[in-house]
Every structure is written in structure tokens, then in C-alpha cells.
Amino acid sequence: MKIGSHLLANRLFVAPMAGVTDRPFRQLCKKLGAGYAVSEMVASNALLWKSEKTQRRANHVGEFKPIAVQIAGADPAMMAAAAKINVDHGAQIIDINMGCPAKKVCNVAAGSALLRDEPLVQQILEAVVKAVGTGPDAVPVTLKIRTGWDREHKNAIEIARLAERSGISMLTVHGRTRADLYHGEAEYETITAVKNNVQIPVVANGDITSPEKAEAVLKITGADAIMIGRAAQGRPWIFREINHYLETGGKLPTPEINEIQDIMNAHLLDHYEFYGEFIGLRTARKHIGWYCKGLRDSHAFRQRMNTADDCKTQLQLVNDYFNEMKSHSDRLLFLEAA
């Protein structure tokens, strides 16, 4: 599969997730089988461009290519300027966020709130494409949306057609409305309809949690690729599991505790280096919790781990816990009592 001139390794994508898909996590997912990953959302507001958070999100040093950056905002000129500055900082693909349902995004009429204003959507898409997506040095511009604002106002097909006319290179559709947030089950009928109404590549997103589900969604929707978000939290090897299943029809065995520990150690060391001691210690907690979810005594372990006041201690507590799990390997995969 290609996005513009960029040939991707496969059709398994990492969804952009605020506070999750930082550079260390994207790199890890790509190493474990993802063909493509999009950065965390970068605000288009110029006042925030020099903030520590934005500068960190724009840090792509050593990142596997192609480098894709997601931008968010509701002003066409600001979005165009944000696209330009991110391309100047190394972005090879610009992704426009019109899918985030978070209140702090929608309250400023950005993210999925834009789906209520199709003329503004068109202005934003055309402005960004004009800024970076035309001419000999064109950078592909992609778009992520939901199926609509709410279940009574689904306009994904109209937005998709508009996107295609505006020069968007690829469209990702999350199978929920903005009002759904992340509740209930994703529906794929709308994604199927979108795929049947445009010629640009369409990516299916929402509730893809297993190799079998990935295959089913590809068949149901006819999508060109699938995007996986929450299912990769604490389980970045899901991409290689799905890739293997799609290629062979067989299932890979569940990673053994030694491999999970090795993957987590490498992730945490990269995470600490990227964020530094103060922020790295705190932002690592959620990743550690995801890796340990469902393992015996993980709740008590997380309580201990959260008391660590430096990265070295936190890492030692993690490894002590996993070493203890290995000494009881017969009980390792037992789920905690509900």
C-alpha cells in the first residue's frame, strides 16, 4: 500500500492517541509489525508551537519513515501554517484530525466537532493541501474522521467525497460517531459505504482487537488497511500477530514472560530517555499498567510501582515483579479475580 510516494510495509496502522503514541511507542509498534504510525495530535495554534509538549511531539529524531504528523484545529489558515511548520521539521505525511471526540478538542470546534460544518471542513482541507500537498515537493495529506456527529447525523460519505475532491490522499474512518465517544461497539456498515463511494484508500478503525477481527473487518468493509489503537496498549506485538494471521492463516503463540519483559524494558528505557526523569517516571506508569493488566497480583504491584520516585527504582520494581511472575509461570496468565 502507498500513501503518495511512500510505500508502506503492510496495511496495519497505529492509531494516533494523545499521551500514548509518542515516538518511543510508535517505534516499538513498527519494530513489532506495524507498517505505519501517526504521531500524537499537534495543535495548530502558533502560540503553542514552542511549548515543551509540542516540541517533544515534533521530535522525530531517528524515527522510522515515513514520518506522519497529525494536526488539529478549526482555522484553515492556522492549519495550513501548522502543516508547513511540521513539514519543515521532518513530517513526510500530514494527517488532519477530525475524529477526536474529546471535549477539550470539540469545545474549540476542532476534532470531530468539525463534522457539523461541511463548508469549514472543505476550507480546512483545501488550505492544508494547497500549503503542502501540491507541486513537485508535495506532501500527502490524509484525514481521520468519525461516522458523523451523532447517530441521527451520519455524514461520513459526504465528508469522504469532499475530502477526495479536495486532494486528500487517504481517509481513515472510526466506526463511531462523536456522541458515541468510545462506548458501545464500532459499526462497519458506514465504513463499507464510504469505501464504495470514493477512489482514495480508506482505512477502517474501531474495536479491532484480534487477528480474527482484523481479517473480518477487512472483508466486511473492503478497506485498504486497518488502524489499531487501544488494543495495542500494553500489547504492541498485536501487529505481528495480525500480520502473521493475514499472511498464513495461523496464529502465533502468546509471547512468553521473558519476551514481554524484554519488550517492556526496552520500551521503558527509550521512554525515560525521551522524556527525562521527571516526566518519564510519571508517564511510564500507564504503559506499565497496560503491560501488567490481567497478571496475578498486578493491582498490588501497580500500587507499589506508583510510589517510586525515580526511574531507576521504578524499573527495578517492574523487573522484580516480572521475575516473581516467572517463578510461578504455571500461574502467570491467570486473570485476577474480578
Side-chain angles (χ1 to χ4, degrees), residues 136-172:
D137 299 320
V139 170
V141 180
T142 63
L143 173 65
K144 187 176 184 189
I145 65 172
R146 287 190 166 225
T147 56
W149 177 253
D150 57 33
R151 296 184 185 185
E152 287 69 46
H153 300 90
K154 291 186 179 181
N155 61 340
I157 294 175
E158 290 77 11
I159 296 290
R161 289 172 175 163
L162 190 158
E164 186 171 43
R165 293 195 302 269
S166 301
I168 293 299
S169 296
M170 183 183 76
L171 177 68
T172 299

Side-chain angles (χ1 to χ4, degrees), residues 84-131:
K84 284 182 179 179
I85 197 168
N86 277 285
V87 168
D88 290 341
H89 282 81
Q92 297 170 302
I93 298 170
I94 294 293
D95 185 62
I96 298 174
N97 182 322
M98 294 188 186
C100 180
K103 286 185 178 180
K104 66 179 180 180
V105 176
C106 289
N107 284 346
V108 293
S112 56
L114 288 165
L115 299 177
R116 293 184 295 183
D117 191 339
E118 291 180 19
L120 180 57
V121 168
Q122 182 172 351
Q123 292 173 34
I124 291 172
L125 299 184
E126 290 179 349
V128 174
V129 170
K130 183 178 179 180

Side-chain angles (χ1 to χ4, degrees), residues 12-18 20-22 25-26 29 34 36-40 70 144 172 174 205-206 226-230 232-233 239:
L12 307 180
F13 298 174
V14 186
M17 295 176 283
V20 179
T21 48
D22 51 25
F25 187 77
R26 295 195 302 272
C29 290
Y36 178 66
V38 182
S39 77
E40 298 173 89
Q70 186 179 81
K144 187 176 184 189
T172 299
H174 183 115
N205 176 222
I226 52 176
M227 181 173 278
I228 298 166
R230 290 173 294 164
Q233 295 173 351
F239 297 99

